Each structure stands twice: as structure tokens, then as C-alpha cells.
């Protein structure tokens, strides 16, 4: 194994507080919650010709650049079609429609709920929003229940 | 604001990838309750932000966009209903909107399918919301016409 500049998985107690700093930073500078699904909404609006909050599109560009930087510090991205345990449980022809449907569900749900794991889970919770606590509790509980159900239904395969 | 958006996005994307939140197995193991790391990560992020925002508010902090306003939204049915649907997708894909983007630049090309689905889902919700709003408006016009007629 070659030694890379960035560890394979930086521990939670390093990353968590730094993400908290980012969340507070966006509130401190832009006076807004840093929701990533909001960035998708603005990117879609830009494509249709009118983004009301262009900084959110820039945040997505930054996100891509930051993740690419992390990848480069680990030897560079290696394009692949793997998808963890789900990729081992399903053939490629099966995983594509499943991932598309899961993406549609997330986009639909986040748009309806007004936020996702970042907007409600991190930002909204940090400002003690009851709406965000309810949203976070709901999507966490739902995701855990669905994951445990899939685990049972696939005989531990997933 | 655009530069700040890019800079904070850069940090966020780096941190997501650093903690491997863009890896299906990491999120799957979290949701299977096999390891507490991601819960601890989110919890420590929320705690840190909460403390920092408390300090900023106490100092009447001014942002680029006026005085710091962190008034929470009122709880509505949509927050819960939408989150149920979001949670189902999150469980199946083992990723969410930010990490899905980070997955693609990390080489995970199937992340592009999730990203495409996210855009489609948002567009679908917008279309349905618009149709519902138009239907409500038509009903209101009919009701008003009946009332005046």
C-alpha cells in the first residue's frame, strides 16, 4: 500500500467539528442555511434561465472541487462502476434503475420537506428548528427502518 | 456571497470525502446501526455550529446579507411527509445529495445516476406543486364565481 497525503478515512472527531465550522460559516457570511439540495434546486433554476441564489450553485461547484482534491490526495480518482454491497447484490442492469428511483425519491422528498441531511440534519438542527428536528428524526428513522428491512429481506446480503 | 459559497462548498466537499461519507458502505453500516461514527460526526457538527452561532448572535453579528437571522421555520406536515420519502431513497442509495456529488468525482460513476435522479425528483415535485397550486387557484375562482353569482 502506498502512503497517501490523506488518510483512508479521517475520523469523525476531526471532520464533525470542521463541518460544524462550515455550517456556522455559511450562516455568518451569507445569512442562510447551507443546504445541498437547495444547491440542486438553484442549479435546475439556472438551467431554466433564472437562479435566485447563484451562490448555491457555486457551492456545488466548490463541493465537486473539494471532493476531487481529497481524491487527488489519495492517488487520484479511479473511474469505476462499483457500488459497495449494493453493487455486489445487484447486476449493473439492475442497479441503474434502482439508483435512479432512489435519486428521484430523495429529490422529490427533499424538495417537499424543504431540505435534506445538510439543510435540516445539520443547519436546521444547529439553530434548534423544530421543523428540522422533525424532518431529521423522520428521515433517520425511515432510512434505518428501510435499511434493516432490506437487510432482513435479502437474508443479510445487504 | 458567490465566492463564499464556492469556498464553503470546497471545504464541505473535501470533508465529506475525507470522512468517506461518499462511500455506500459507510452510510449503509451507519443505517444498519453497525457503527456510530457518522452519527457522532453529525452530532459533533451540529454541536459545534450551535455554539458558534450562539456566540455570533450574542455579538449581534452582521453578515454580508444583513444582521444574522437564524429564526427557524415553523413545523408543517410537509417537513415530515417529504422526509419519509427522502429517507426511503437515502436508505436504498446509501448516499444523499452532497455525498452523491462527491462520489462521482471520486470515480464512482454510478453516483451520476443518483444525481440525475435527484434533479428529476426535484423537477417532478415542482411540477406537481405547480399543478396543485393551479388547481387550487381554479377552485378558488369557481368558488368566488359561485358566491358572487
Amino acid at each position: 500500500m502506498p502512503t497517501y497525503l490523506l488518510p483512508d478515512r479521517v475520523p469523525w472527531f476531526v471532520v464533525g467539528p470542521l463541518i460544524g465550522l462550515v455550517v456556522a460559516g455559511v450562516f455568518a457570511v451569507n445569512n442562510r442555511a447551507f443546504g445541498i439540495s437547495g444547491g440542486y434546486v438553484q442549479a435546475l433554476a439556472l438551467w431554466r434561465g433564472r437562479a435566485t441564489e447563484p451562490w448555491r450553485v457555486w457551492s456545488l461547484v466548490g463541493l465537486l472541487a473539494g471532493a476531487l482534491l481529497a481524491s487527488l490526495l489519495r492517488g487520484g480518482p479511479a473511474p469505476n462502476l462499483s457500488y459497495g454491497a449494493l453493487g455486489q447484490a445487484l447486476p449493473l442492469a439492475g442497479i441503474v434503475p434502482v439508483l435512479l428511483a432512489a435519486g428521484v425519491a430523495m429529490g422529490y422528498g427533499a424538495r417537499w420537506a424543504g431540505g435534506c441531511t445538510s439543510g435540516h440534519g445539520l443547519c436546521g438542527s444547529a439553530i434548534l428548528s423544530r421543523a428540522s428536528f422533525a424532518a431529521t428524526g423522520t428521515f433517520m428513522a425511515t432510512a434505518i427502518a428501510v435499511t434493516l428491512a432490506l437487510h432482513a429481506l435479502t437474508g443479510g446480503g445487504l | 456571497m458567490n465566492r463564499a459559497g464556492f469556498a464553503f462548498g470546497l471545504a464541505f466537499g473535501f470533508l465529506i470525502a475525507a470522512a468517506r461519507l461518499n462511500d455506500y458502505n459507510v452510510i449503509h453500516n451507519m443505517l444498519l446501526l453497525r457503527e456510530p461514527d457518522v452519527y457522532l460526526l453529525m452530532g459533533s457538527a451540529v454541536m459545534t455550529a450551535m455554539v458558534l452561532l450562539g456566540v455570533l448572535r450574542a455579538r449581534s453579528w452582521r453578515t454580508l446579507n444583513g444582521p444574522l437571522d437564524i429564526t427557524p421555520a415553523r413545523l408543517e406536515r410537509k417537513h415530515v411527509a417529504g422526509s419519509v420519502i427522502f429517507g426511503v431513497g437515502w436508505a436504498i442509495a446509501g448516499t444523499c445529495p452532497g455525498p452523491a456529488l462527491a462520489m462521482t468525482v471520486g470515480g464512482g460513476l454510478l453516483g451520476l445516476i443518483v444525481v440525475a435522479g435527484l434533479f428529476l425528483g426535484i423537477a417532478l415535485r415542482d411540477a406537481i406543486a405547480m399543478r396543485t397550486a393551479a388547481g387550487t387557484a381554479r377552485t378558488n375562482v369557481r368558488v368566488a364565481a359561485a358566491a358572487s353569482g
Side-chain angles (χ1 to χ4, degrees):
Chain A
M1 280 284 286
T3 317
Y4 295 128
L5 291 165
L6 188 66
D8 184 56
R9 194 173 163 193
V10 182
W12 66 267
F13 51 83
V14 176
V15 174
L18 289 173
I19 286 184
L21 194 62
V22 170
V23 167
V26 175
F27 272 119
V29 178
N30 286 358
N31 213 7
R32 291 283 183 274
F34 189 27
I36 300 302
S37 51
Y40 279 72
V41 171
Q42 289 298 314
L44 199 60
L46 183 69
W47 183 62
R48 288 165 169 169
R50 48 187 162 76
T52 50
E53 293 185 285
W55 72 268
R56 292 194 182 275
V57 183
W58 282 108
S59 76
L60 292 195
V61 177
L63 193 157
L64 288 167
L68 181 63
L69 179 65
S71 184
L72 290 171
L73 294 178
R74 287 176 175 141
N80 64 81
L81 290 173
S82 59
Y83 207 88
L86 188 64
Q88 283 156 2
L90 285 174
L92 191 60
I95 199 169
V96 169
V98 165
L99 289 180
L100 188 68
V104 169
M106 278 192 286
Y108 190 97
R111 184 66 172 135
W112 194 5
C116 57
T117 15
S118 49
H120 281 311
L122 299 174
C123 305
S125 298
I127 61 168
L128 304 172
S129 158
R130 283 177 58 200
S132 293
F133 284 145
T136 307
T138 304
F139 61 63
M140 287 258 183
T142 307
I144 290 167
V146 170
T147 302
L148 292 175
L150 283 174
H151 185 68
L153 287 171
T154 56
L158 268 183
Chain B
M1 282 181 75
N2 288 345
R3 271 185 216 176
F6 178 83
F8 285 120
L10 186 87
F12 195 56
F14 183 84
L15 291 166
I16 284 173
R20 291 264 180 219
L21 302 180
N22 54 345
D23 183 330
Y24 171 88
N25 286 347
V26 169
I27 303 303
H28 190 59
N29 286 336
M30 164 207 189
L31 296 174
L32 273 177
L33 308 176
R34 275 185 180 156
E35 55 169 55
D37 298 47
V38 183
Y39 296 105
L40 293 168
L41 187 155
M42 291 183 75
S44 59
V46 169
M47 290 298 173
T48 306
M50 205 183 284
V51 171
L52 291 172
L53 289 169
V55 172
L56 291 177
R57 186 154 62 173
R59 295 186 172 203
S60 310
W61 181 264
R62 286 194 69 82
T63 73
L64 288 182
N65 205 3
L68 180 68
D69 175 20
I70 47 175
T71 319
R74 282 215 358 248
L75 173 59
E76 293 171 58
R77 200 183 70 93
K78 64 174 187 173
H79 295 116
V80 173
S83 293
V84 170
I85 301 177
F86 179 81
V88 173
W90 186 26
I92 294 170
T95 192
C96 51
L101 284 173
M103 188 188 288
T104 61
V105 289
L109 299 179
L110 288 173
L112 289 169
I113 307 290
V114 181
V115 171
L118 278 159
F119 278 114
L120 280 174
I122 291 169
L124 182 66
R125 175 64 212 164
D126 281 343
I128 288 176
M130 208 175 286
R131 181 169 294 193
T132 311
T136 310
R138 270 199 304 276
T139 310
N140 288 345
V141 168
R142 270 203 301 274
V143 170
S148 64

